[in-house]
Amino acid sequence: MQQESINKAIIRDFYRRAVGQGDLAFAEEVIADDYKQHSSSVNPGKAGLMEALAYMKQLPKQDTTAKPFLRLIAESNYVVTNMSFNWGGQQKVVVDLFRFEDGKVAEHWDAIQDQPELTVNNNSMMDGPPPIEDAEQTLVNKKLVSAFYEQVFINHDTSACYNFVATDLIQHIPEIDNGLIELMDYLRQQPNQWSIEKVHRIIGEGNFVIVQSSGYWEQKPAMFYDVIRLNDGKIVEQWGVRQLIG
């Protein structure tokens, strides 16, 4: 876990120093020269990221005492952040996925979504516990989530939810109500709204697992980043941020 802790510290400092304070020299130091950018809102490569950071440095800084992250999860050479911030009067919810190589940030993906005023489940997209627990359960939890996505989303067997999801599931995806039955009803009644074609990465740390997948939202190509919390072998809480492609 030593390397994961180092990678987490680099990402914390990147947001605090490079994004928050405009420390471009620090960004130059921690970003790999062959950095790959998958965010559609930033120009390609390291030059595009440095350009975006230089632009952000010129923007007026908002007074805030909020912590920069709600969640920070790392496994192997990946770090995932899940946070919320206000931009132009609209609360945004973001998942960032970073890949490290030789101690530097080598690749980045993200998804950003507006926090709606109302949700079906009456929960914010960023409610819930941030602490990571049960570190020894990482591999077991990843295998459970992998099987859940394979059976329920790829093979479309919604009845398999019984094997993986707690009856009192806490839901943060705005369109879905709380509960196991409510998740199953949504998947059965809205098959064309949310469909997953491929799972790209599953990253876990303790009782949290992150799933990066692609598919369709309202029949438009999209990337999905789902944050899942587990307890005693069941999925007990779910968050999600989606990003349309193109």
Side-chain angles (χ1 to χ4, degrees):
M1 293 297 292
Q2 182 178 4
Q3 190 58 53
E4 285 90 340
S5 297
I6 293 171
N7 292 345
K8 279 186 175 183
I10 290 173
I11 293 302
R12 283 194 193 97
D13 284 345
F14 175 78
Y15 276 90
R16 179 176 61 86
R17 295 175 59 177
V19 177
Q21 301 172 3
D23 187 345
L24 301 184
F26 178 78
E28 184 72 39
E29 177 185 344
V30 300
I31 303 300
D33 290 338
D34 57 352
Y35 170 81
K36 297 178 182 178
Q37 178 65 267
H38 298 276
S39 175
S40 60
S41 60
V42 181
N43 287 330
K46 183 174 183 176
L49 177 59
M50 297 302 297
E51 178 185 88
L53 291 171
Y55 171 76
M56 293 174 65
K57 185 178 181 179
Q58 306 304 317
L59 297 176
K61 295 294 185 292
Q62 296 182 353
D63 293 331
T64 178
T65 57
K67 294 181 180 180
F69 305 112
L70 184 59
R71 293 180 189 89
L72 182 61
I73 296 164
E75 183 190 17
S76 184
N77 59 336
Y78 289 100
V79 175
V80 182
T81 67
N82 181 203
M83 60 183 172
S84 179
F85 62 89
N86 188 285
W87 184 269
Q90 172 65 54
Q91 198 68 21
K92 306 283 186 177
V93 182
V94 182
V95 170
D96 285 297
L97 170 58
F98 301 90
R99 182 180 66 84
F100 278 76
E101 187 173 317
D102 297 328
K104 294 192 175 186
V105 180
E107 200 163 3
H108 169 256
W109 301 259
D110 69 354
I112 182 169
Q113 188 175 336
D114 291 347
Q115 166 68 55
E117 293 186 11
L118 299 174
T119 66
V120 172
N121 48 57
N122 293 319
N123 297 324
S124 164
M125 291 178 68
M126 288 297 292
D127 286 350
I132 294 169
E133 303 171 346
D134 305 324
E136 71 283 355
Q137 293 296 310
T138 297
L139 183 58
V140 171
N141 287 336
K142 284 182 63 179
K143 287 182 177 178
L144 186 148
V145 170
S146 177
F148 170 64
Y149 272 74
E150 179 70 24
Q151 294 180 37
V152 174
F153 290 101
I154 304 300
N155 296 336
H156 306 290
D157 181 7
T158 55
S159 63
C161 287
Y162 284 113
N163 299 325
F164 303 103
V165 181
T167 57
D168 56 350
L169 172 71
I170 302 170
Q171 184 62 255
H172 299 274
I173 296 176
E175 297 81 9
I176 310 175
D177 208 347
N178 298 300
L180 163 62
I181 299 302
E182 286 74 12
L183 173 62
M184 294 171 64
D185 287 346
Y186 174 85
L187 294 175
R188 287 168 176 163
Q189 295 169 11
Q190 305 287 345
N192 294 324
Q193 185 167 36
W194 180 24
S195 63
I196 291 175
E197 303 294 322
K198 181 179 181 181
V199 173
H200 296 274
R201 291 170 181 82
I202 296 180
I203 299 162
E205 185 177 3
N207 59 332
F208 279 93
V209 175
I210 313 297
V211 181
Q212 180 197 42
S213 62
S214 59
Y216 294 89
W217 177 261
E218 295 180 340
Q219 301 182 338
K220 297 177 182 177
M223 293 292 297
F224 302 96
Y225 296 82
D226 294 319
V227 181
I228 293 171
R229 183 172 68 87
L230 299 99
N231 185 47
D232 292 333
K234 293 284 187 178
I235 296 169
V236 296
E237 199 160 6
Q238 181 180 19
W239 300 259
V241 180
R242 60 182 178 265
Q243 181 77 53
L244 295 180
I245 300 172

